[in-house]
Amino acid sequence: MSRDNLPHVPLLINGEFVQSKSTEWREVVNPATQERLARVPMATADEVAAAIASAQAAFKTWRKTPIGQRARIFLKLQQLIRDNIKSLAATLTAEQGKTLADAEGDVFRGLEVVEHAANIGSLQMGERAHNVAGGVDTYTLLQPLGVCAGITPFNFPAMIPLWMFPMAIATGNTFVLKPSEQDPLVTMRLVELALEAGVPPGVLNVVHGGEHVVNALCDHPDVKAISFVGSTRVGTHVYERASLAGKRVQCMMGAKNHAIVLPDAHKEQTLNALAGAAFGAAGQRCMAVSVAVLVGEARKWVPDLVARAKKLSVGAGDSASTDVGPLISCAARERVEALIARGVEDGAQLELDGRIPSLPGALKEGNFVGPTIFSGVRPGMSVYEQEIFGPVLCIVEAETMDEAIAITNANPNGNGTAIFTQSGAAARKFEEEIEVGQVGINVPIPVPVPLFSFTGSRGSKLGDLGPYGKQVVLFYTQTKTVTARWFEDDVSTGVNTTIALK
Ligand code: NAD
């Protein structure tokens, strides 16, 4: 506790929650009320080094821990998360702002990864071929890398840490997590549950901080792989810096997700889907729909969409009637408001203005922006070019589906997209031709379940392999190929001076 009774968020090093000796701290704040919840340290260089050293030491035994023993920890962790889901969601809502129902969804989507981690052994099996040459067999081992690190964003403080450490640890690695400094409390609660489930000392460590801590993780020779999720600016820096230091890196970054609406789409369901995906979580999802491309006659649906958006209730996430919570910080609110003003200056039509929603009492100080809709948006305008990361939907018009696909493919981002149509042929053409990593067909936010992997592409991703699912097993392991011959007798085959196996 500090002098003002705010709890201090601890670091986790070698199985112990310890207080940082840092002189630099920032506050964790409830974005609906500005109530201060805790202080989080910017860890010192020595603390980051100690966390990495602890993970490095633990790797020696953890890598040899039997698969079943590792799996049982995640079986236990999934039950602990299930038992605590309500209180985890309440912590998440208090520090992040999203509604309680959505916070439960955030925890649940991470829980699904924990369930998958409990069964990862079957995906970590190698391949084997007998008699690749006379009496020679070849087989592969998928071995853990060593110390892996994860750097996570503010917008999914439960799900995204759970994309990372369960999969890395279940495949035999040890881990250093650097959560978002804006909302680390629910992440720390999940880490406590992981220890309770049996993760041994040193296998999972946590450091807090910003640029300096992230750079230290990128530079340290004992860190073998970095998983990053966050903005394109920071992700590009992390990718370049950690790659230069010889590490494996995967960076999932910013987005501008286009939903294409064909005139044959089911109108009611499509408008509901657009409003939910554009304004849910106050637009602070990397898979939020931020651009709707209305094709042909669907261009006439704008007034109905505006009417639907107006019905959404803006307020604190812990109120059952709220649909749209606050933005994460005052700075985020100011940025979103400035971009809305810029949209007007650039000539887009402001159909619905969510700035300065009228809210009662304690919420007057909150970082609220209500649903906002622009029509007549064109490439080149700031509201189109930038990721707004707020409850702002840009409407772009297209004459044909081909034109809508061309607009989407010309955008540098490739995280998510969706098409709304009742035509199977149109949907098939779309999935074939669209250059975006995650495609929804009448599904507005197509985040894959963990049997698959998260597969954003183009400007939204750096690195080949995505988080969770089969791809991350390859990311967190090194394939070793063994070629073996066992001689049955003592007969010499002579010296072989060729490359061929004989
Ligand atoms: P951010 O890039 O500001 O922060 C991400 C992490 O990087 C945090 O842990 C932060 O402490 C750290 N960081 C911040 N500045 C840094 C710097 N200068 N150097 C090194 N590290 C730094 O992102 P955010 O605002 O927390 O999250 C929102 C962004 O994340 C959006 O762009 C969103 O699209 C993206 N995101 C992407 C995905 C995806 O899967 N593609 C998922 C969620 C969020």
Side-chain angles (χ1 to χ4, degrees):
M1 290 274 181
S2 54
R3 262 171 285 162
D4 51 10
N5 280 342
L6 282 184
H8 280 183
V9 185
L11 311 172
L12 173 63
I13 299 176
N14 201 24
E16 301 285 338
F17 289 102
V18 292
Q19 288 299 327
S20 172
K21 297 197 166 48
S22 179
T23 52
E24 207 189 327
W25 295 71
R26 56 169 290 169
E27 288 172 350
V28 182
V29 175
N30 182 325
T33 60
Q34 310 302 353
E35 181 197 354
R36 296 177 308 149
L37 303 174
R39 284 183 199 279
V40 62
M42 304 289 109
T44 66
D46 285 349
E47 288 163 346
V48 178
I52 296 169
S54 139
Q56 176 77 349
F59 181 60
K60 288 191 188 72
T61 45
W62 183 245
R63 63 178 303 185
K64 294 184 179 168
T65 304
I67 296 169
Q69 201 173 320
R70 296 203 296 251
R72 281 187 284 278
I73 291 174
F74 294 98
L75 283 175
K76 178 132 191 236
L77 179 57
Q78 68 79 27
Q79 188 60 50
L80 287 171
I81 293 174
R82 225 170 259 286
D83 293 345
N84 289 280
I85 196 160
K86 294 276 178 210
S87 69
L88 287 163
T91 302
L92 200 164
T93 293
E95 63 180 338
Q96 203 276 349
K98 63 179 71 173
T99 63
L100 282 171
D102 197 28
E104 263 192 56
D106 188 333
V107 178
F108 183 78
R109 294 300 309 253
L111 169 65
E112 290 182 310
V113 181
V114 177
E115 290 170 341
H116 197 231
N119 188 33
I120 212 65
S122 59
L123 290 182
Q124 204 181 342
M125 297 192 301
E127 297 170 320
R128 184 170 188 118
H130 265 214
N131 294 321
V132 294
V136 177
D137 305 329
T138 297
Y139 52 95
T140 57
L141 313 175
L142 271 60
Q143 294 191 304
L145 302 175
V147 181
C148 301
I151 300 153
T152 55
F154 79 83
N155 65 332
F156 282 99
M159 177 182 82
I160 292 178
L162 292 174
W163 281 3
M164 296 180 183
F165 75 79
M167 299 301 280
I169 291 174
T171 48
N173 300 281
T174 55
F175 206 78
V176 180
L177 177 66
K178 207 298 289 168
S180 171
E181 70 283 17
Q182 299 193 81
D183 49 11
L185 302 179
V186 71
T187 315
M188 292 310 286
R189 189 67 199 113
L190 288 164
V191 165
E192 284 171 15
L193 294 178
L195 296 197
E196 193 180 331
V199 172
V203 171
L204 174 60
N205 303 272
V206 184
V207 289
H208 302 287
E211 186 174 358
H212 294 302
V213 170
V214 168
N215 285 346
L217 293 170
C218 291
D219 294 345
H220 199 292
D222 288 343
V223 175
K224 300 299 177 211
I226 302 247
S227 298
F228 170 91
V229 180
S231 64
T232 303
R233 180 182 66 81
V234 178
T236 304
H237 163 77
V238 166
Y239 189 82
E240 289 173 354
R241 188 155 179 150
S243 300
L244 206 62
K247 301 181 199 322
R248 277 189 194 184
V249 200
Q250 53 172 195
C251 294
M252 307 306 126
M253 307 184 295
K256 197 78 182 176
N257 305 310
H258 291 46
I260 294 181
V261 181
L262 300 189
D264 72 347
H266 191 296
K267 188 174 173 187
E268 279 300 300
Q269 289 175 7
T270 301
L271 295 179
N272 286 340
L274 288 179
F279 308 124
Q284 299 172 112
R285 294 183 182 130
C286 67
M287 290 287 281
V289 167
S290 48
V291 179
V293 188
L294 305 186
V295 179
E297 288 294 296
R299 289 177 286 190
K300 296 183 180 151
W301 295 2
V302 176
D304 292 319
L305 186 55
V306 170
R308 201 148 314 222
K310 275 185 177 162
K311 286 195 192 132
L312 297 176
S313 151
V314 179
D318 61 4
S319 158
S321 60
T322 295
D323 299 302
V324 179
L327 294 168
I328 185 69
S329 63
C330 299
R333 174 186 172 165
E334 281 164 17
R335 190 181 156 275
V336 170
E337 288 176 344
L339 274 163
I340 295 172
R342 188 71 195 276
V344 175
E345 281 166 29
D346 286 351
Q349 181 65 37
L350 188 54
E351 302 276 355
L352 179 61
D353 185 355
R355 287 173 293 182
I356 320 177
S358 62
L359 286 157
L363 301 186
K364 275 195 169 38
E365 300 301 317
N367 311 319
F368 293 99
V369 175
T372 298
I373 298 179
F374 279 110
S375 64
V377 174
R378 289 185 309 279
M381 293 178 173
S382 292
V383 285
Y384 182 80
E385 298 299 331
Q386 292 196 33
E387 181 184 35
I388 300 176
F389 226 54
V392 180
L393 178 64
C394 295
I395 295 175
V396 173
E397 297 189 355
E399 294 280 347
T400 63
M401 176 173 155
D402 281 330
E403 188 188 343
I405 290 176
I407 290 168
T408 308
N409 286 347
N411 191 281
N413 296 282
N415 212 37
T417 187
I419 188 165
F420 291 89
T421 179
Q422 297 193 58
S423 159
R428 190 175 184 285
K429 176 181 163 72
F430 181 75
E431 73 183 25
E432 184 84 8
E433 295 184 6
I434 205 74
E435 291 167 10
V436 174
Q438 296 169 120
V439 180
I441 296 174
N442 298 315
V443 173
I445 307 184
V447 176
V449 295
L451 299 175
F452 299 85
S453 300
F454 193 89
T455 53
S457 66
R458 294 199 286 130
S460 298
K461 180 184 185 186
L462 284 168
D464 299 327
L465 299 167
Y468 65 82
K470 287 180 195 163
Q471 291 195 8
V472 99
V473 175
L474 291 177
F475 182 77
Y476 286 138
T477 60
Q478 171 66 46
T479 304
K480 187 182 275 178
T481 311
V482 181
T483 302
R485 168 181 275 159
W486 297 95
F487 298 104
E488 284 180 16
D489 50 42
D490 220 10
V491 178
S492 168
T493 50
V495 176
N496 177 13
T497 56
T498 74
I499 184 71
L501 282 168
K502 287 186 179 160

